[in-house]
Amino acid sequence: MGLRKKIEEIRSRAGLSNIRLDQLRNSVRSLKSIEEQQSKEIEQLRNDLKANTKEINRLRDELKTEFRRRDIWERKKAEVQRLAKGKEILVIKCPALERRGAKSVDYAYCDVLKRYFEEAGYYVLIDCYEDWNCSINADVVVLIHGYRYFHPDRRDENTKFVMWINCFPDKITAEELALYDLVMTTSETHQKMLQQITDIPVEFVPMLTDTDSFYPSDTPAQPKYNCVFIGNIIQRKYPRDCIRWCSDNGIEVDVWGEGWDEFYANSMFVHLHGRIEYKDLPELYRNARFSLNDHFDDMLDTEMMNNRFPEVLLSGIPMVCDWTESFERNYGDMVLFYRNEEEFVHCMKEMEERYDELKANVMKNQERLREEFDFQKGIARMQALIESCGDESEAR
């Protein structure tokens, strides 16, 4: 009996030891797990520290740049007065960011605007968004309206402030209009809408196009591309209908612009070519049979055409475009219009069937198109409106 008890006691102690050994093993595993978690957290903290350090350095550089910019602002007023040599000073407030510069279509368009205003006799500056608050006692400030808000500086008592609206018409308020001496819009429908909410002069000036750059080919040859589309997707965050419908219906299209890789990097029908410089657009259009076009909903609602509309036609090729009543009334012999996917697919078939007729109509209307969208004529109208807007303001 004594031996049996001792054996049982030894077995009991051995079992207890095994339990304690298992507990020890579990503790070790737990410690290892905690250590691994802590290592991951430490690595994450290191990465966060690197990211924060990079962000701090970026903010420090931006702050230095901003202080340097403000120092330049202080000197710019006197420098501009000297360089203007007595000419009236006109500042174009461009909605593009300075870091994008000439890569931005907005800036490229403002640069053309600058050239024609200079031909009209002004000394012209372009202020990108970062320099919008720079004050130089300009005679005229022209805001190219976009998605960024600009507040005129009325401390410059002799400055005339002008807003030209050629996009984002839905963002305009009566309070914003009241800050200006003159408002111009590229849509007659939008003009009438604005006249209902303000007593500031609202005038119609069409979307202007540089006819020195956008014109038909003198020696028509076999086009390099059949159907082309130029436009970014980055502001929309979803595929634009006309391109989505091409993809869904097996219609081939060549696309230039930013943001498309996310949707059509490996598409059989949507062929991506990346971004394109504004200066290269005319030659691209002249090397295409026809172009697609579309507008933001607010532009369709106000019948405000985008810059692609006249650029394509002035380059001598027909177009498939989303519908408004005035677009079809004025350009229905050169452009096929759609309101939905079914109509779009029909337009693409009709383009092939009626191509020669539509192309001939585009060429037949070149003189009319140049007259309607010509930059030189448009700038002359702008200049007359700017010169007279002070008199109208006093009359009110």
Side-chain angles (χ1 to χ4, degrees), residues 28-264:
V28 170
R29 290 193 193 101
S30 179
L31 286 172
K32 285 183 178 178
S33 177
I34 291 172
E35 184 179 358
E36 288 174 358
Q37 182 61 34
Q38 287 178 337
S39 296
K40 290 179 181 178
E41 291 176 356
I42 290 170
E43 184 62 27
Q44 183 61 48
L45 287 171
R46 286 196 184 110
N47 292 335
D48 290 345
L49 181 60
K50 288 180 182 177
N52 289 338
T53 300
K54 185 177 180 180
E55 180 65 12
I56 288 169
N57 289 335
R58 186 188 68 80
L59 291 173
R60 184 185 293 117
D61 291 341
E62 280 194 6
L63 192 60
K64 287 180 181 177
T65 300
E66 192 61 29
F67 277 125
R68 190 160 50 244
R69 185 189 306 280
R70 306 247 168 190
D71 182 52
I72 291 172
W73 287 0
E74 291 297 316
R75 291 174 283 167
K76 194 172 181 179
K77 186 181 298 184
E79 290 175 357
V80 169
Q81 294 293 334
R82 182 180 68 84
L83 293 171
K85 296 179 180 178
K87 292 182 179 179
E88 285 195 70
I89 298 168
L90 184 146
V91 179
I92 300 170
K93 298 295 184 180
C94 172
L97 294 174
E98 184 181 66
R99 65 174 177 267
R100 287 184 62 83
K103 295 180 180 180
S104 163
V105 172
D106 287 328
Y107 186 88
Y109 192 80
C110 286
D111 200 39
V112 178
L113 196 62
K114 175 179 182 288
R115 171 159 56 89
Y116 280 97
F117 269 127
E118 286 174 339
E119 290 180 5
Y122 293 101
Y123 179 82
V124 185
L125 298 172
I126 298 176
D127 279 347
C128 288
Y129 176 66
E130 293 88 342
D131 285 326
W132 273 14
N133 292 320
C134 177
S135 176
I136 59 167
N137 290 337
D139 296 283
V140 183
V141 171
V142 178
L143 171 71
I144 307 303
H145 179 266
Y147 48 89
R148 295 187 170 95
Y149 178 78
F150 172 71
H151 196 292
D153 185 353
R154 286 298 177 178
R155 291 174 297 180
D156 295 343
E157 295 181 0
N158 296 319
T159 302
K160 293 180 180 179
F161 289 94
V162 180
M163 179 195 292
W164 191 28
I165 308 166
N166 55 26
C167 63
F168 300 104
D170 63 328
K171 295 186 178 295
I172 305 296
T173 64
E175 291 76 16
E176 185 178 7
L177 295 173
L179 299 174
Y180 290 82
D181 300 294
L182 171 66
V183 175
M184 302 180 296
T185 175
T186 56
S187 163
E188 291 180 288
T189 300
H190 191 228
Q191 176 194 17
K192 293 172 184 175
M193 293 169 62
L194 294 183
Q195 287 173 336
Q196 298 299 312
I197 64 171
T198 185
D199 62 351
I200 301 298
V202 180
E203 301 289 346
F204 167 67
V205 177
M207 173 61 72
L208 304 180
T209 303
D210 184 8
T211 53
D212 288 342
S213 298
F214 293 92
Y215 54 84
S217 174
D218 292 332
T219 55
Q222 184 64 30
K224 185 176 180 181
Y225 305 102
N226 182 48
C227 172
V228 300
F229 177 84
I230 290 85
N232 300 326
I233 202 172
I234 51 177
Q235 289 180 345
R236 303 202 181 195
K237 305 300 183 187
Y238 61 87
R240 296 163 83 143
D241 285 343
C242 61
I243 303 304
R244 178 167 58 84
W245 294 336
C246 281
S247 179
D248 291 348
N249 291 277
I251 300 170
E252 291 196 74
V253 57
D254 288 274
V255 176
W256 285 258
E258 296 179 320
W260 292 101
D261 286 341
E262 178 182 352
F263 301 95
Y264 300 116

Side-chain angles (χ1 to χ4, degrees), residues 8-26:
E8 288 177 356
E9 184 178 349
I10 290 170
R11 285 175 176 169
S12 176
R13 287 179 179 176
L16 185 61
S17 295
N18 287 336
I19 291 172
R20 288 177 177 172
L21 184 59
D22 288 340
Q23 289 175 340
L24 183 60
R25 285 181 180 138
N26 290 335

